């Protein structure tokens, strides 16, 4: 039996935000910095203990290392403090985004969209995505079927699209999830674009036709539905889901770190208030359990792609360890 292959695909991410979101980011900046020595890397880690710093790349402070370029969002009230300390330490740095709120405001789509035409080049809210999943399945019934694989913490449905021709036949499958981190809007947009390309070019594009004739694609357009909705209504940069914890007033779990794979190891946190909180236990989150159960009950799945932002990289296992997998050369070659 072929071994299930897991890849993490990261797309370039630029934050955008609807005008009605409650939380705003006036004066906030994104610093790009590069520690050239181990001492400078440690300095950044210590600085993050004194000031609230939102790590865009790498995802967590404990992954900052010598020679690595880091992009870090700093709130407006801490910008001067951080900038002075970076100058004092001699760390190479620049301002990557000068005013985050300006970027958010300028890139949010304020144009009224037609109810008849779905715009794949704009970010779409959850209600529009739900309508789209229903429409795409109804428009291409021989290529797409929609099912619900579970519910989120807040009771929203988790939809899955099965894409491929001759769906009654047994074929190897590729599983693809998008939107596991709420603020990474480019991720759900990618899944929507992929399904659009698959359905619109089947029969005319040789490669896509061959793929859909010989493979099945299981696509989850948005896994972290609760968090995604919250980014549209309250906080554009919210990352986790919206589950509650009896031991803390902080909400949410980093769904990406809640799976039974190196759970709560490198790059994860056991603090419920951290962006990388791994949860109270393995698969404690309904969203993760729904996804994992689907994969466990579908032995046809041979490849798992999870689409993320922010960076132009392809990551192969293991993400929680510095060890290499037995089939690493194959993974790197094929990616």
């Amino acid at each position: 039996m072929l071994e299930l292959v897991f890849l993490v695909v990261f797309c370039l991410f630029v934050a955008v935000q609807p005008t009605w979101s409650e939380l705003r980011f006036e004066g906030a900046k994104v610093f790009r910095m590069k520690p050239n020595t181990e001492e400078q890397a440690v300095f950044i880690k210590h600085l993050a203990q004194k000031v609230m710093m939102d790590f865009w790349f790498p995802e967590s402070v404990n992954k900052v290392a010598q020679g690595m370029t880091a992009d870090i969002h700093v709130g407006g009230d801490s910008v001067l403090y951080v900038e002075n300390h970076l100058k004092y330490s001699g760390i190479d740095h620049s301002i990557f985004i000068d005013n985050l709120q300006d970027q958010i405001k300028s890139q949010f789509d304020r144009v009224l969209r037609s109810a008849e035409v779905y715009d794949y080049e704009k970010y779409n809210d959850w209600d529009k995505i739900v309508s789209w999943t229903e429409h795409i399945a109804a428009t291409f019934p021989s290529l797409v079927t929609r099912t619900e694989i579970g519910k989120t913490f807040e009771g929203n449905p988790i939809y899955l699209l099965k894409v491929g021709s001759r769906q009654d036949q047994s074929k190897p499958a590729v599983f693809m999830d998008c939107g596991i981190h709420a603020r990474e809007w480019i991720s759900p947009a990618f899944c929507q674009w992929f399904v659009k390309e698959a359905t619109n070019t089947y029969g005319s594009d040789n490669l896509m036709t061959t793929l859909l004739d010989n493979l099945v694609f299981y696509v989850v357009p948005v896994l972290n539905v609760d968090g995604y909705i919250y980014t549209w209504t309250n906080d554009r940069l919210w990352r986790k889901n919206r589950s509650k914890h009896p031991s803390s007033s902080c909400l949410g779990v980093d769904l990406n770190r809640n799976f039974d794979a190196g759970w709560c190891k490198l790059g994860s946190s056991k603090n419920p208030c951290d962006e990388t909180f791994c949860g109270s236990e393995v698969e404690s989150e309904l969203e993760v359990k729904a996804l994992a159960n689907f994969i466990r009950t579908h032995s046809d799945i041979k490849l798992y792609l999870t689409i993320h932002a922010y960076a132009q990289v392809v990551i192969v296992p293991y993400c929680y360890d510095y060890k290499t997998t037995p089939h690493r050369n194959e993974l790197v070659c094929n990616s």
Side-chain angles (χ1 to χ4, degrees):
M1 181 181 295
L2 291 176
E3 188 171 359
L4 176 62
V5 179
F6 172 83
L7 297 177
V8 184
V9 182
F10 283 79
C11 304
L12 182 63
F13 163 72
V14 179
V16 294
Q17 180 184 22
T19 55
W20 60 83
S21 179
E22 295 178 359
L23 188 62
R24 300 178 67 82
F25 302 91
E26 275 88 357
K29 299 181 186 296
V30 177
F31 286 87
R32 174 162 287 177
M33 57 191 75
K34 183 177 182 179
N36 293 312
T37 66
E38 180 61 28
E39 289 76 14
Q40 290 182 341
V42 171
F43 185 90
I44 293 174
K45 294 177 181 180
H46 287 165
L47 187 61
Q49 295 176 355
K50 300 178 181 179
V51 179
M52 182 69 71
M53 300 172 73
D54 178 16
F55 284 78
W56 287 11
F57 187 84
E59 290 182 303
S60 64
V61 61
N62 55 17
K63 285 190 174 182
V64 174
Q66 177 182 348
M68 171 186 290
T69 298
D71 289 345
I72 304 172
H73 158 220
V74 177
D77 57 349
S78 301
V79 164
L80 186 59
Y81 181 89
V82 170
E83 192 162 23
N84 287 338
H85 279 71
L86 290 175
K87 290 178 180 177
Y88 170 80
S89 67
I91 295 174
D92 290 342
H93 67 280
S94 60
I95 303 297
F96 183 53
I97 297 178
D98 186 56
N99 190 309
L100 187 55
Q101 182 62 32
D102 287 348
Q103 288 285 333
I104 287 169
K105 184 178 180 180
S106 67
Q107 294 200 15
F108 177 65
D109 172 32
R110 301 179 63 182
V111 180
L112 293 177
R113 306 172 202 173
S114 169
E116 298 179 358
V117 180
Y118 193 78
D119 196 337
Y120 290 93
E121 296 186 2
K122 305 291 184 183
Y123 292 120
N124 295 286
D125 63 24
W126 173 240
D127 289 339
K128 288 186 175 67
I129 294 175
V130 170
S131 298
W132 167 79
T133 61
E134 182 178 11
H135 176 76
I136 201 80
T139 305
F140 300 96
S142 62
L143 289 178
V144 182
T145 56
R146 187 186 79 164
T147 57
E148 181 182 318
I149 65 171
K151 298 283 189 184
T152 67
F153 177 81
E154 296 181 344
N156 288 300
I158 302 172
Y159 288 121
L160 176 141
L161 299 177
K162 181 180 179 181
V163 184
S165 66
R166 301 191 292 270
Q167 295 206 4
D168 58 330
Q169 297 183 9
S170 177
K171 296 185 290 184
V174 175
F175 186 93
M176 181 189 305
D177 75 53
C178 288
I180 198 169
H181 288 142
R183 66 189 184 186
E184 298 171 10
W185 284 7
I186 193 66
S187 172
F190 171 82
C191 268
Q192 295 162 59
W193 187 273
F194 171 78
V195 175
K196 184 263 294 186
E197 287 295 298
T199 53
N200 287 351
T201 64
Y202 178 77
S204 60
D205 181 86
N206 290 334
L207 177 58
M208 185 63 75
T209 303
T210 299
L211 287 174
L212 297 187
D213 282 345
N214 293 278
L215 296 171
V216 169
F217 290 85
Y218 295 119
V219 181
V220 177
V222 184
L223 180 65
N224 184 3
V225 179
D226 299 345
Y228 186 74
I229 293 172
Y230 194 74
T231 62
W232 282 80
T233 59
N234 292 76
D235 179 358
R236 175 60 188 88
L237 297 185
W238 185 263
R239 188 171 184 269
K240 301 183 286 184
N241 73 347
R242 297 291 299 165
S243 63
K244 298 179 180 178
H245 315 290
S247 61
S248 175
S249 60
C250 294
L251 301 182
V253 168
D254 182 348
L255 300 180
N256 198 46
R257 287 163 168 78
N258 191 236
F259 291 92
D260 189 10
W263 180 72
C264 234
K265 282 190 174 182
L266 180 68
S268 298
S269 171
K270 294 185 179 181
N271 182 350
C273 297
D274 287 347
E275 295 282 12
T276 55
F277 176 48
C278 59
S280 58
E281 61 183 17
V282 169
E283 294 183 17
S284 61
E285 305 310 293
L286 294 177
E287 297 90 343
V288 172
K289 189 174 290 293
L291 187 154
N293 283 340
F294 182 88
I295 292 179
R296 280 192 285 259
T297 56
H298 288 76
S299 59
D300 55 335
I301 297 175
K302 308 303 179 186
L303 172 66
Y304 177 14
L305 298 172
T306 178
I307 311 301
H308 288 254
Y310 135 113
Q312 300 281 31
V313 297
V314 176
I315 297 179
V316 299
Y318 302 106
C319 294
Y320 57 83
D321 205 324
Y322 290 109
K323 297 178 182 177
T324 58
T325 60
H327 52 283
R328 177 176 176 78
N329 290 338
E330 178 186 357
L331 288 174
V332 173
C333 178
N334 290 334
S335 62

